[in-house]
Amino acid sequence: MLPVTENAMLKFAANLSMMYTEHAFLDRYAAAAADGYAGVECMFPYEAPAAFVRERMDAAGVSQVLFNAPPGVASRGERGLAALPGRQDEFRAGIEQALSYATALACSQVHVMAGLAPEGAERAALLDCYRENLDWAARQARSAGVTVLIEPINTRDIPGYFLNRQDEAHQVVQAVNAPNLKVQMDLYHCQIVEGDVTAKLRQYLPTGRVGHVQIAGVPLRQEPDRGELDYGWIFSVLRELEYSGWIGCEYRPAAGTSAGLRWLAAARA
């Protein structure tokens, strides 16, 4: 399939951790490009050296627009360290690794995960740690030309995750007050936790605090044209609000990735 020119208003990035899983990770860059994606994102690119990832990215002619900082000890089910007191050294080492990859991949955004709230921990103490870590991370990232993103995640997919609501995320960003700290607004998570997605877009996009938007069908996290959210309507709202950032397609295809892209053709029409 020949690459398709992106709609002037909407730029879509394939999530290579969830999409194109019929291919080995490094082969997914070419697969996404073949379906017309100009940008890609992924969760964790660290299994391959950054130079190898960059080689595949350049060969495919796509941009890496986002990935996550290391989540902690993945084998223990950790989902980030930013809000966990006593883990600051590990957190900082992870940020340094992420910024090294961001530089190598010319990627201007890194998602920093908050983590799972420890049982019995006082939320105020976790919040203080979270803000301090994000302030430090944003200062490190600024010199690298990178924006740090934080994402509210629903507690059905990740029970116990520290950050769940859009208003909480925006309060944190305002409190830290770093120009390169923004919110990653995943509409799948937003719909599950609080709904009222159109009103949330109208409320938060004009603030300039949203750095990235992600989409998936609700409730099964499949293609955007499956489920209870009308993405045709949502895309019209994003155009109306003149959203110029990337839209990450962070969903699990119901069957083959390429076979499920009718929604993308409709969005670009």
Side-chain angles (χ1 to χ4, degrees), residues 51-102:
F52 289 14
V53 181
R54 180 63 190 258
E55 188 179 311
R56 295 300 190 95
M57 182 187 98
D58 287 346
V62 296
S63 301
Q64 183 85 39
V65 305
L66 173 73
F67 60 85
N68 292 357
V73 184
S75 62
R76 292 210 303 253
E78 292 189 326
R79 300 300 192 111
L81 302 174
L84 305 188
R87 306 288 298 276
Q88 284 90 336
D89 289 347
E90 293 164 83
F91 172 78
R92 292 185 174 197
I95 294 298
E96 286 166 1
Q97 183 184 15
L99 292 177
S100 168
Y101 267 73

Side-chain angles (χ1 to χ4, degrees), residues 119-166:
E119 203 166 322
E122 287 189 19
R123 186 167 179 85
L126 301 183
L127 193 55
D128 285 345
C129 175
Y130 193 38
R131 291 179 186 138
E132 287 171 18
N133 276 334
L134 290 174
D135 178 66
W136 183 87
R139 281 187 277 118
Q140 305 309 305
R142 197 178 314 165
S143 58
V146 170
T147 295
V148 170
L149 301 177
I150 60 173
E151 177 187 19
I153 295 176
N154 82 76
T155 54
R156 187 169 74 211
D157 283 23
I158 306 184
Y161 193 74
F162 178 73
L163 187 70
N164 314 121
R165 298 182 60 85
Q166 303 301 316

Side-chain angles (χ1 to χ4, degrees), residues 3-258:
V4 181
T5 304
E6 296 287 16
N7 182 286
M9 291 290 288
L10 300 182
K11 301 184 298 184
F12 294 98
N15 186 293
L16 301 186
S17 298
M18 289 194 178
M19 301 170 69
Y20 299 103
T21 57
E22 55 268 42
H23 303 281
F25 177 70
L26 289 177
D27 295 336
R28 295 174 198 172
Y29 284 84
D35 281 336
Y37 282 103
V40 298
E41 60 178 36
C42 66
M43 292 179 191
F44 309 110
Y46 310 108
E47 65 191 56
F52 289 14
V53 181
R54 180 63 190 258
E55 188 179 311
R56 295 300 190 95
M57 182 187 98
D58 287 346
V62 296
S63 301
Q64 183 85 39
V65 305
L66 173 73
F67 60 85
N68 292 357
V73 184
S75 62
R76 292 210 303 253
E78 292 189 326
R79 300 300 192 111
L81 302 174
L84 305 188
R87 306 288 298 276
Q88 284 90 336
D89 289 347
E90 293 164 83
F91 172 78
R92 292 185 174 197
I95 294 298
E96 286 166 1
Q97 183 184 15
L99 292 177
S100 168
Y101 267 73
T103 299
L105 302 180
C107 180
S108 64
Q109 299 191 117
V110 171
H111 170 214
V112 173
M113 299 185 77
L116 306 177
E119 203 166 322
E122 287 189 19
R123 186 167 179 85
L126 301 183
L127 193 55
D128 285 345
C129 175
Y130 193 38
R131 291 179 186 138
E132 287 171 18
N133 276 334
L134 290 174
D135 178 66
W136 183 87
R139 281 187 277 118
Q140 305 309 305
R142 197 178 314 165
S143 58
V146 170
T147 295
V148 170
L149 301 177
I150 60 173
E151 177 187 19
I153 295 176
N154 82 76
T155 54
R156 187 169 74 211
D157 283 23
I158 306 184
Y161 193 74
F162 178 73
L163 187 70
N164 314 121
R165 298 182 60 85
Q166 303 301 316
D167 57 354
E168 293 170 351
H170 283 268
Q171 285 163 13
V172 168
V173 167
Q174 287 176 288
V176 174
N177 195 29
N180 64 323
L181 176 65
K182 298 194 174 187
V183 176
Q184 180 171 319
M185 188 176 187
D186 187 317
L187 303 185
Y188 164 79
H189 294 305
C190 182
Q191 170 70 1
I192 290 170
V193 175
E194 50 200 306
D196 210 10
V197 167
T198 297
K200 297 289 187 300
L201 288 168
R202 294 196 195 284
Q203 178 178 357
Y204 293 119
L205 286 189
T207 67
R209 293 191 299 266
V210 176
H212 190 69
V213 168
Q214 288 177 317
I215 60 172
V218 181
L220 298 180
R221 207 170 192 174
Q222 294 176 338
E223 282 83 354
D225 56 359
R226 292 169 173 251
E228 68 197 41
L229 272 179
D230 179 356
Y231 276 102
W233 167 265
I234 287 169
F235 295 152
S236 72
V237 172
L238 290 172
R239 290 190 182 98
E240 174 199 328
L241 295 171
E242 298 183 356
Y243 174 70
S244 60
W246 288 91
I247 300 169
C249 307
E250 193 182 32
Y251 66 83
R252 298 183 188 91
T257 303
S258 300

